[in-house]
Amino acid sequence: MGVPLPRRRNRSPACPAPPASTRCPPCGPPPSRAARCLLLVGALVVVRQRRVRPPLAASAALVHGAPALPISQPRNLVGGQLLSAVTGYAVLAVTGRGPWGAALAGGLALGAMLLARVPHSPAAATAVIVVLQAPPAVRFLPLL
């Protein structure tokens, strides 16, 4: 009839490890991923930045859940977050706090990330948070 196909084991399609492997080299075992996410949340609790948790949690989920995706790469993650924060502060300076400025900031942040070739979709929420909450840049930017 033909050659039987090898049986596929449950593993992430982004993980390049061979099926017989029990550990995915680039992303580590699941407990280490969970520990890194908990460490991120703990750091945000210590510095009392509640509003920035959702976009950074979404970024962490992308990085640890699908590390091979282009939007999960460090260049996109860091560049997208910083570019979105700067966009948010620029819109905040022009429009002030409010929902219309937040919507504008989110759209401009996505456009700026695409132009800079550092798309990272969770980062658009960072621009929205900056406009709605107006956090001090000295405390907010180092977190990113």
Side-chain angles (χ1 to χ4, degrees):
M1 287 206 162
V3 178
L5 295 174
R7 194 170 154 210
R8 184 161 189 225
R9 297 200 174 127
N10 292 334
R11 65 183 177 97
S12 168
C15 183
S21 174
T22 58
R23 179 185 161 127
C24 179
C27 39
S32 72
R33 287 181 266 172
R36 284 184 246 156
C37 289
L38 288 173
L39 183 64
L40 172 68
V41 171
L44 293 173
V45 167
V46 169
V47 295
R48 299 177 187 202
Q49 286 291 334
R50 289 176 284 152
R51 303 296 190 276
V52 79
R53 287 182 207 159
L56 292 183
S59 295
L62 278 173
V63 168
H64 296 296
L69 288 178
I71 64 171
S72 299
Q73 300 307 305
R75 176 179 184 264
N76 291 26
L77 183 130
V78 175
Q81 289 286 358
L82 290 175
L83 189 58
S84 291
V86 169
T87 303
Y89 281 112
V91 171
L92 178 65
V94 173
T95 67
R97 290 173 61 173
W100 292 105
L104 178 65
L108 289 175
L110 282 173
M113 286 186 287
L114 290 173
L115 284 173
R117 297 181 188 253
V118 289
H120 185 70
S121 48
T126 301
V128 171
I129 287 169
V130 166
V131 174
L132 290 177
Q133 301 297 319
V138 175
R139 285 183 54 205
F140 189 78
L141 290 176
L143 287 175
L144 299 179

